[in-house]
Amino acid sequence: MARIAGMDVLDIRFPTSRELDGSDAMNPDPDYSAAYVVLRTDDGPDGYGLAFTIGRGNDVQAAAIRALEPLVVGRSTPDTPAALAALSADLVGDSQLRWLGPEKGVAHMAIGAVVNAAWDLASRRANCPLWTLLAAMTPEDIVGLVDFRYLSDALTEQEALDILRDAEPGRAERAARIRASGYRAYSTSPGWLGYSDDKLVHLATQAVADGFDMIKLKVGASVEDDVRRLRLARAAVGPDVRIAVDANQRWDVAPAITWMRALAPYDPYWIEEPTSPDDVLGHRAVADAVRPIRVATGEHVQNRVVFKQLLQAGAIDVLQLDAARVGGVNENVAILLLAAKFGVPVCPHAGGVGLCELVRHLSMFDFVAVSGTDADRAIEWVDHLHEHFTDPAVVRGGRYLAPTRPGFSARIRDESLARYTYPNGPEWRDA
Amino acid sequence: MARIAGMDVLDIRFPTSRELDGSDAMNPDPDYSAAYVVLRTDDGPDGYGLAFTIGRGNDVQAAAIRALEPLVVGRSTPDTPAALAALSADLVGDSQLRWLGPEKGVAHMAIGAVVNAAWDLASRRANCPLWTLLAAMTPEDIVGLVDFRYLSDALTEQEALDILRDAEPGRAERAARIRASGYRAYSTSPGWLGYSDDKLVHLATQAVADGFDMIKLKVGASVEDDVRRLRLARAAVGPDVRIAVDANQRWDVAPAITWMRALAPYDPYWIEEPTSPDDVLGHRAVADAVRPIRVATGEHVQNRVVFKQLLQAGAIDVLQLDAARVGGVNENVAILLLAAKFGVPVCPHAGGVGLCELVRHLSMFDFVAVSGTDADRAIEWVDHLHEHFTDPAVVRGGRYLAPTRPGFSARIRDESLARYTYPNGPEWRDA
């Protein structure tokens, strides 16, 4: 029987702040980074996972992953749904480590990185991409992955089973559709706040020419600038392309409403992160005031308990799952089930380091085996840093292609690891 | 001008799990720990702060504090309200570190430790205990300490000013009352889940004999056990002593309600942490169902945004401020102002390592300068580990005495630091 023989944790940082890629109203100069984990086995492939951060503090994130090593190393490779559920439960349930969250922030993202690495390992050992591994499981096995603690007032195990059983009949046909034509993407690349108007218009036009029917702009630093930029973008793409806007938590409730009313003439599709990701009631107040503009959030939502409330309160119209913010695949399965129960479309957050690579698996699994629909759903696409991955996300004609290689696609190329290790890789040492 | 010349961070752990002190339904074997920070100055006293954890992961918490060093070392000692506000704002606002929360978990507790150390330093330099330093500030200076981001839909700067101005006339008289007779305490020492019935009855009886008019029992592992323990405690203390119960997040919403109905015949005063600290709507559902039993929470509430919602939703009847969970004194001033605005009594969480020492300052400040009342308020008292502090909390006749020494009372004795440093202090090395 194969075992997890060791765990390596690396602090990898890309100097993205030099080009203002990724600049927004709250994050003016991010250095996109990964606290990267390798589960080394004594037989067969290794497993790869990561937590995404934006620079400083990536060492703290790495330390939090290392703190999980005693709970992981020495275990049998988790090759079954039950073993993957047990690993997740053991990490979330450690009573002393739990105090550091519970289930939030650095400690929880560390769990997510390790759980995702375990799923990567399981998929590699099963010789299939993660989305097909998940989509081949029975409803009972999928429900068994989920920690229903704190969810039962909104979603019971029986309700989850019913959702999954309802989606069983069409699985094969939908999986074939994914293989044939992928999953819809939208592009954030035009809209970073640090870009000039000319660059914005050029990139928005290019995105539509490339097949995207939805783009996203960052907003929130200056309402005059945002009105001008949204007007320019709308003129460039025409009335039929969706334009979402993203405030990255910049506002309180009242300014969010005022600002969105100023942007409303240019038909924004959703307002993303209008305020604190912790503010369920604030999101509801914004949503009530800005309809028909949708409210979206999720990249900083800490766990399933907050998503549950956003859904219970009718505070979001779009749920932005993130592959690496919460406790990994297991918790994201819970979140997909919650979204399906409430009938809210999931449009995952991506970009960063590896988030496009990872999250496409979850949306494809959702389409095949959970919600059974892709209506009004699209995965964010940011065309940066994919060259560092061994199984990079590929978007063609505005659609994510289905991954075909075994695993969860989080593996970073060895030469990139060597170059971007912080602070001693040549990219940083020589800067 | 004095400067912060250096920052030391220590991993201090006390082996409390050996005696089951601190055992509850979610935390069966905590080793009470502190990630301890010293702000060293080049002139005059140093400043001391800590984050409380329960063992494993205290090294991660220490790493998160160390990550703040570049933002702290080299600054002038923060001797004014404006300088203390600027330090807090710089730590909370670092755009790259913010990604690790935002404002939650390990990263936010690290900010709390450093901000509290800065307040300790400021109080030592002003040669007064923290509570009197705060209580001597003008309403304008106190409001200037607060980050109103994400609060303005519930509390504006003007409303905060009005609250503080309303409390100005009686400040001197209330400060004199604090100096004369301290602040009401309640005792958790009888009620740890690992204690026998005999020990529970003995300690409950002793607490009343010692002058406490309120005690607290841990619940949540077995409803039959809890009914028996609460019955025994009620018989021991009589009908006039308040008995709170604390589930430490053990339940979902429906079991919380069922369980509390089983305990209701023994007149529990509040149910503390019935469910996830993230679940505002869940707390409201429990509160609506179990009245007149009060709902209390706070020791794991991550920041002011969640407290805001708990108050907006009417989800809590008692707010349990914690000195070391959120971003330090500045954020706790915001939380005290929110509680005053909503008219909800603050009964701080304490115990752990140093929490009694710290939080008494905040309640005394609240009484003197914010809420202006101590009605239905009491600070938790757990009689463990105080011997390790240079300015230990003292409770006599069921009341916390007013601290009189300069500072915020977080300093641990040098000999305790040496003995309990993990993993190389003699207490751990020789275990």
Side-chain angles (χ1 to χ4, degrees), chain A residues 26 29 56 96 98-99 104 149-150 152 249 252 278-281 302-303 308-309 325, chain B residues 26 29 56 94 96 98-99 104 149-150 152 249 252 278-281 302-303 308-309 325:
Chain A
M26 292 293 273
D29 56 353
R56 287 183 292 279
Q96 292 189 356
R98 188 178 183 279
W99 192 268
K104 59 180 64 74
R149 173 168 275 182
Y150 306 138
S152 63
Q249 314 168 24
D252 281 26
D278 306 337
D279 198 346
V280 172
L281 302 179
Q302 65 206 31
N303 60 35
K308 177 190 75 167
Q309 294 174 83
R325 172 68 61 181
Chain B
M26 293 293 272
D29 56 354
R56 286 184 292 281
D94 182 278
Q96 293 189 355
R98 187 178 183 279
W99 192 269
K104 60 179 65 73
R149 173 166 276 182
Y150 306 138
S152 63
Q249 315 168 24
D252 282 27
D278 307 337
D279 199 346
V280 172
L281 301 179
Q302 63 206 30
N303 60 36
K308 176 189 75 167
Q309 293 174 83
R325 171 67 61 180

Side-chain angles (χ1 to χ4, degrees), chain B residues 128-267:
Chain B
C128 64
L130 176 84
W131 71 277
T132 69
L133 181 77
L134 276 170
M137 288 183 181
T138 65
E140 291 76 9
D141 279 345
I142 294 170
V143 165
L145 300 173
V146 171
D147 179 359
F148 283 88
R149 173 166 276 182
Y150 306 138
L151 294 189
S152 63
D153 56 325
L155 177 73
T156 65
E157 288 192 43
Q158 186 59 52
E159 289 171 326
L161 259 182
D162 291 345
I163 289 167
L164 294 164
R165 285 176 180 153
D166 285 351
E168 267 195 300
R171 280 189 186 188
E173 185 266 331
R174 288 191 297 274
R177 278 178 53 194
I178 289 286
R179 286 195 179 90
S181 58
Y183 199 102
R184 187 162 164 260
Y186 74 87
S187 175
T188 301
S189 294
W192 300 107
L193 216 52
Y195 288 177
S196 69
D197 287 357
D198 282 352
K199 188 167 183 177
L200 162 65
V201 168
H202 170 72
L203 291 173
T205 308
Q206 186 64 49
V208 176
D210 289 344
F212 292 97
D213 59 6
M214 174 170 168
I215 62 171
K216 190 165 80 184
L217 307 189
K218 300 292 182 173
V219 297
S222 149
V223 68
E224 293 76 19
D225 286 349
D226 290 344
V227 167
R228 187 188 71 253
R229 294 168 68 250
L230 187 53
R231 182 168 41 77
L232 289 168
R234 177 57 72 204
V237 302
D240 297 331
V241 170
R242 291 174 175 173
I243 307 180
V245 299
D246 180 358
N248 291 88
Q249 315 168 24
R250 189 63 149 72
W251 302 316
D252 282 27
V253 170
I257 295 166
T258 307
W259 208 292
M260 289 313 298
R261 287 184 176 150
L263 298 182
Y266 308 101
D267 192 21

Side-chain angles (χ1 to χ4, degrees), chain A residues 108-370:
Chain A
H108 204 45
M109 291 194 283
I111 291 173
V114 172
V115 167
N116 283 346
W119 279 93
D120 180 72
L121 177 60
S123 306
R124 289 174 191 273
R125 290 175 62 84
N127 201 34
C128 64
L130 175 83
W131 71 277
T132 68
L133 181 77
L134 275 170
M137 287 183 181
T138 64
E140 290 76 8
D141 279 345
I142 295 169
V143 165
L145 300 173
V146 171
D147 180 0
F148 283 88
R149 173 168 275 182
Y150 306 138
L151 296 189
S152 63
D153 57 324
L155 177 74
T156 65
E157 288 192 44
Q158 186 59 52
E159 289 171 325
L161 259 183
D162 292 344
I163 289 166
L164 293 163
R165 285 176 179 155
D166 285 349
E168 267 196 299
R171 281 190 185 188
E173 185 267 330
R174 288 191 297 273
R177 278 178 55 193
I178 289 286
R179 287 195 178 89
S181 58
Y183 198 103
R184 186 164 166 260
Y186 75 86
S187 176
T188 301
S189 293
W192 299 109
L193 215 54
Y195 288 179
S196 69
D197 286 357
D198 283 353
K199 189 169 182 177
L200 162 65
V201 167
H202 169 72
L203 291 173
T205 309
Q206 186 65 47
V208 176
D210 289 344
F212 291 97
D213 58 7
M214 175 168 168
I215 63 172
K216 190 165 79 184
L217 307 190
K218 299 292 181 174
V219 297
S222 150
V223 68
E224 293 76 18
D225 286 349
D226 290 344
V227 167
R228 187 188 72 253
R229 294 168 69 250
L230 186 54
R231 180 167 44 75
L232 289 168
R234 177 57 73 204
V237 304
D240 297 332
V241 170
R242 291 174 176 172
I243 307 180
V245 299
D246 181 358
N248 291 88
Q249 314 168 24
R250 189 64 149 71
W251 302 319
D252 281 26
V253 169
I257 295 166
T258 308
W259 207 293
M260 289 313 299
R261 286 184 178 151
L263 297 182
Y266 309 100
D267 193 21
Y269 183 65
W270 76 50
I271 171 61
E272 176 172 335
E273 290 202 309
T275 189
S276 164
D278 306 337
D279 198 346
V280 172
L281 302 179
H283 277 83
R284 182 172 64 187
V286 174
D288 287 346
V290 306
R291 285 199 181 86
I293 301 170
R294 292 159 183 78
V295 168
T297 199
E299 73 182 79
H300 271 94
V301 170
Q302 65 206 31
N303 60 35
R304 70 198 181 286
V305 180
V306 178
F307 277 119
K308 177 190 75 167
Q309 294 174 83
L310 288 164
L311 294 165
Q312 288 175 312
I316 54 171
D317 307 289
V318 175
L319 188 153
Q320 299 184 291
L321 187 100
D322 182 288
R325 172 68 61 181
V326 301
V329 168
N330 296 66
E331 188 163 19
N332 269 324
V333 171
I335 294 164
L336 289 171
L337 286 162
L338 281 166
K341 161 82 184 288
F342 285 88
V344 168
V346 174
C347 295
H349 171 247
V353 178
L355 302 181
C356 298
E357 279 67 26
L358 289 160
V359 86
R360 57 188 172 153
H361 290 272
L362 300 176
S363 280
M364 291 173 186
F365 160 65
D366 175 70
F367 176 62
V368 175
V370 185

